[in-house]
């Protein structure tokens, strides 16, 4: 009895019950698997996440955290309260006034790269009674303790901040925890009291504290474009957080992660940092583009936010004026009484 089959590679064939039928079946199955694998690989590559072959281990930090320490052969340095365990690099414990960081020793000269950061923020404090957060860095300076999430202020390079506590600026539209992007040129100051609003290039709200699933941050820099995405909902999918074009970074900067606590605290854990080199097609004009000497962003004025100090309301001003006038009236009355008594006493001295 003859059986008609359809070859998955697009050919119609006639098979019989002889042994060759089974060989054709095996061939069809093999062809199907090859086509399926090619389709999956192509799909993953088109999405931009199939970069495993381009993992740059010298810029990556993963378990069991080899190359991290104080020996001359180490590729990463610890600083402050940062300590290594079998499960994570704990930048700061859930204690007040702690600062910790981990910094790469090797400057990065890749023009196009993608950084995946696996982190965890958790602690005993209730909502809005925890802090302060952590930061991912690509900067000219390294190993500098300071007030910006454990790193120096007026830095030169890129900072991506996971801010878990709103400071004095509690009335604006941000919902915390909040992720923001800042580009420093060596002179810009991060305004901690206003959560960096005046220097923020982009950002988003991200629920990353005390969650029962993994939280990830994705940072891609390619062709003068910075893209920040998050995977913090436990759905294993990236969501856009910030997309900034015309952002220019010099080569030879260092990757790092830092954290800080103040009067409020949390555990800030770095589980892994994986850096991938991207293969990008460029035009001849793009190839000939000169390297910038300091970080910059095109049309920086579009990101400018003027932070105004909150003024007094009309009611407050009225009562302050009223009490001031009453106070002046009382002082004037007392002065008249004192002056009258002084004159009376002066006249008595002449009799």
């Amino acid at each position: 009895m003859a059986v008609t089959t359809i070859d998955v590679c697009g050919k119609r064939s006639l098979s019989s019950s002889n042994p060759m039928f089974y060989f054709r079946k095996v061939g069809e199955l093999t062809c199907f698997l090859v086509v399926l694998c090619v389709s999956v690989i192509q799909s993953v590559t088109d999405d931009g996440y199939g970069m495993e072959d381009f993992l740059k281990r010298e810029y990556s930090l993963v378990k069991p955290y080899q190359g991290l320490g104080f020996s001359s052969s180490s590729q990463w340095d610890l600083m402050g309260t940062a300590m290594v365990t079998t499960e994570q690099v704990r930048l700061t414990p859930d204690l007040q006034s702690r600062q910790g960081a981990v910094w790469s020793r090797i400057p990065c000269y890749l023009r196009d790269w993608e950084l995946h950061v696996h982190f965890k923020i958790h602690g005993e404090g209730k909502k809005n009674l925890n802090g302060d957060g952590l930061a991912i860095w690509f900067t000219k300076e390294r190993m500098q303790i300071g007030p910006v999430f454990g790193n120096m202020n007026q830095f030169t390079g890129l900072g991506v901040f996971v801010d878990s506590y709103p400071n004095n600026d509690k009335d604006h539209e941000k919902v915390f925890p909040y992720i923001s992007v800042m580009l420093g040129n060596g002179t810009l100051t991060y305004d901690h009291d206003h959560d960096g609003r005046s220097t923020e290039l982009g950002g988003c709200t991200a629920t990353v504290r005390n969650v029962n699933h993994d939280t990830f941050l994705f940072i891609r820099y390619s062709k003068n474009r910075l893209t920040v995405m998050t995977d913090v909902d436990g759905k294993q999918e990236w969501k856009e957080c910030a997309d900034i074009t015309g952002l220019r970074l010099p080569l030879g900067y260092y990757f790092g992660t830092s954290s800080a606590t103040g009067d409020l605290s949390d555990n800030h854990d770095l589980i892994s940092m994986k850096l991938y080199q991207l293969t990008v097609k460029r035009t001849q004009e793009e190839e000939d583009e000169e390297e910038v000497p300091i970080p910059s962003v095109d049309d920086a004025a579009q990101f400018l936010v003027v932070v105004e100090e909150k003024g007094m309301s009309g009611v407050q001003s009225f009562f302050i004026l009223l009490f001031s006038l009453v106070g002046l009236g009382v002082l004037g009355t007392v002065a008249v009484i004192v002056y009258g008594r002084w004159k009376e006493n002066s006249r008595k001295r002449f009799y």
Side-chain angles (χ1 to χ4, degrees), residues 8-23:
V8 294
C9 293
K11 298 180 180 178
R12 183 180 296 272
S13 62
L14 187 67
S15 300
S16 65
S17 59
N18 61 53
M20 292 301 296
F21 169 75
Y22 299 103
F23 287 102

Side-chain angles (χ1 to χ4, degrees), residues 63-234:
K63 298 176 184 179
Y65 307 116
Q66 296 177 347
L68 173 60
F70 302 101
S71 68
S72 59
S73 60
S74 298
Q75 297 173 336
W76 294 82
D77 284 320
L78 291 170
M79 185 176 67
T81 59
M83 61 178 293
V84 183
T85 72
T86 57
E87 298 300 321
Q88 71 269 318
V89 179
R90 176 149 293 173
L91 301 172
T92 58
D94 192 358
L95 297 171
Q96 294 178 330
S97 304
R98 300 293 193 271
Q99 292 179 320
V102 57
W103 283 95
S104 172
R105 290 184 179 180
I106 306 173
C108 180
Y109 290 93
L110 302 178
R111 295 182 67 181
D112 305 276
W113 48 263
E114 185 175 287
L115 184 66
H116 295 191
V117 183
H118 185 187
F119 67 97
K120 186 174 183 179
I121 300 177
H122 58 106
E124 297 297 327
K126 296 181 180 180
K127 184 179 180 181
N128 291 337
L129 290 176
N130 59 279
D132 284 333
L134 60 82
I136 313 300
W137 303 98
F138 181 65
T139 56
K140 177 181 179 180
E141 308 86 4
R142 62 184 296 274
M143 301 291 287
Q144 300 289 328
I145 288 286
V148 186
F149 300 96
N151 190 31
M152 63 179 289
N153 214 333
Q154 297 184 331
F155 58 88
T156 309
L158 176 69
V160 179
F161 309 134
V162 184
D163 192 348
S164 59
Y165 179 74
N167 292 287
N168 293 334
D169 203 3
K170 295 183 176 65
D171 295 330
H172 57 70
E173 66 279 3
K174 289 182 181 178
V175 177
F176 283 72
Y178 189 86
I179 296 174
S180 64
V181 178
M182 176 178 172
L183 192 68
N185 59 10
T187 62
L188 288 178
T189 298
Y190 178 80
D191 185 356
H192 198 273
D193 290 340
H194 295 93
D195 303 305
R197 289 184 68 198
S198 60
T199 52
E200 179 187 328
L201 300 182
C204 66
T205 295
T207 305
V208 298
R209 184 178 181 272
N210 281 350
V211 294
N212 295 323
H213 49 262
D214 293 329
T215 50
F216 298 89
L217 191 61
F218 167 107
I219 305 170
R220 175 189 285 170
Y221 178 67
S222 180
K223 299 176 72 170
N224 300 329
R225 180 179 181 179
L226 184 79
T227 305
V228 178
M229 306 182 80
T230 63
D231 176 6
V232 298
D233 299 326

Side-chain angles (χ1 to χ4, degrees), residues 61 218 227 260 285 289 336:
L61 186 61
F218 167 107
T227 305
E285 182 180 356
E289 188 176 281
V336 170

Side-chain angles (χ1 to χ4, degrees), residues 51-52 54-55 112-114 116 274-278:
M51 303 297 175
E52 195 67 34
F54 300 97
L55 176 68
D112 305 276
W113 48 263
E114 185 175 287
H116 295 191
K274 296 180 181 180
L275 186 76
Y276 299 91
Q277 181 178 6
L278 303 180

